Amino acid sequence: MELITLEGVHKVYSTSEEVQVHALRGINMHIDEGEYVAIMGPSGSGKSTLMHIIGCLDVVTAGKYEIDGVDTEGMSEKQLARIRNAKIGFVFQQFNLLSSMTALRNVELPLVYAGVPVSQRKERAQKALARVGLADRALHRPGQLSGGQQQRVAIARALVTDPALILADEPTGALDSVSTNDILALFDELTEEGKTVVVITHERDVAARAQRTVHLYDGMLQEVNA
Ligand SMILES: Nc1ncnc2c1ncn2[C@@H]1O[C@H](COP(=O)(O)OP(=O)(O)O)[C@@H](O)[C@H]1O
Ligand SMILES: [Mg+2]
């Protein structure tokens, strides 16, 4: 079953009437459920733009984007948000945890947005924390955790709604090599469990863990078989 389908996708940013940036130029990309795919490319090649489209954080200028068989064309911001909540878990370079909240509360938040009853939230969040090996850190705040632990909390937060897709933008960019290995081991396990994982990275050894790597150059894709 195909989870992600991009056909002839273009993205043009119009910063003013005269200045337009053609960030994506005819992207065709197909990702099956359960695949582990890395997206590499130099700075400015369109990686974040592509991530925003796959993550339903932005929309195409031209072409087709389907996720899990649903065409996103013409969707409202509200409809896109619903898809994000139901199908996608995000992981960012800077973790994006709320510093005033415990790890447990951070992991619970997507369940609040998903409308999960209070009575079930804590148990599910605790389970997600246990899944990333941090059961005993539930009541710590981000500032009391190492970078690697914070990223594991962020992965627990991404997993707690049981999304089909984990979408990670430079997830190891702020981590040392030991923590990087922890995160990559988790991604391996998630793929074995049937999750689809898409990782954007500029690090070769991170991309090498994926089943295949696609390279972006100047808004266009070039597939390289690992
Ligand atoms: N919001 C925006 N408005 C205008 N131009 C943008 C915007 N976001 C990105 N760009 C431009 O689009 C191109 C691709 O950017 P980006 O997707 O961020 O690349 P990468 O993540 O690979 O560094 C760049 O030329 C960048 O300057
Ligand atoms: Mg980027």
Side-chain angles (χ1 to χ4, degrees):
M1 164 89 191
E2 197 160 295
L3 185 68
I4 299 290
T5 308
L6 291 99
E7 275 167 16
V9 165
H10 289 256
K11 181 68 185 182
V12 179
Y13 294 109
S14 301
T15 45
S16 70
E17 246 171 65
E18 312 87 71
V19 182
Q20 295 197 327
V21 179
H22 206 150
L24 297 178
R25 309 202 257 176
I27 301 285
N28 297 308
M29 190 168 159
H30 300 265
I31 300 177
D32 281 337
E33 224 175 307
E35 271 199 285
Y36 183 0
V37 177
I39 298 172
M40 289 194 84
S43 180
S45 60
K47 300 185 299 295
S48 292
T49 301
L50 183 57
M51 184 208 175
H52 287 143
I53 286 171
I54 293 173
C56 294
L57 294 160
D58 203 350
V59 292
V60 305
T61 308
K64 182 202 267 291
Y65 175 45
E66 283 183 13
I67 176 165
D68 208 9
V70 177
D71 192 340
T72 59
E73 187 176 356
M75 278 193 178
S76 66
E77 178 45 44
K78 205 168 170 182
Q79 287 172 306
L80 291 171
R82 200 171 301 142
I83 291 188
R84 287 199 296 273
N85 288 337
K87 299 186 190 296
I88 307 169
F90 292 92
V91 179
F92 300 97
Q93 179 169 3
Q94 296 301 336
F95 326 133
N96 293 12
L97 300 173
L98 296 176
S99 59
S100 63
M101 289 187 180
T102 62
L104 189 68
R105 271 303 279 166
N106 269 284
V107 175
E108 271 187 75
L109 271 185
L111 299 176
V112 177
Y113 298 128
V116 173
V118 188
S119 57
Q120 297 172 23
R121 281 183 214 152
K122 198 175 259 183
E123 192 187 327
R124 282 179 64 176
Q126 191 68 56
K127 220 166 147 188
L129 278 174
R131 175 69 195 78
V132 301
L134 290 176
D136 57 347
R137 295 290 191 277
L139 299 181
H140 289 235
R141 289 174 207 283
Q144 300 169 318
L145 298 168
S146 71
Q149 289 171 332
Q150 289 183 61
Q151 193 59 302
R152 277 148 68 193
V153 172
I155 293 172
R157 179 184 58 187
L159 288 172
V160 75
T161 53
D162 196 24
L165 173 66
I166 298 292
L167 188 53
D169 195 0
E170 298 283 0
T172 61
L175 302 179
D176 59 37
S177 61
V178 173
S179 302
T180 292
N181 279 329
D182 288 348
I183 300 304
L184 294 180
L186 258 176
F187 286 163
D188 287 347
E189 291 170 21
L190 294 176
T191 332
E192 278 159 28
E193 289 166 17
K195 292 270 184 237
T196 309
V197 178
V198 175
V199 177
I200 292 166
T201 183
H202 66 273
E203 296 170 84
R204 266 176 205 292
D205 46 344
V206 171
R209 295 286 281 263
Q211 292 155 352
R212 64 184 169 106
T213 302
V214 292
H215 290 260
L216 258 181
Y217 295 103
D218 204 14
M220 289 180 282
L221 275 191
Q222 192 177 319
E223 184 135 356
V224 177
N225 291 315

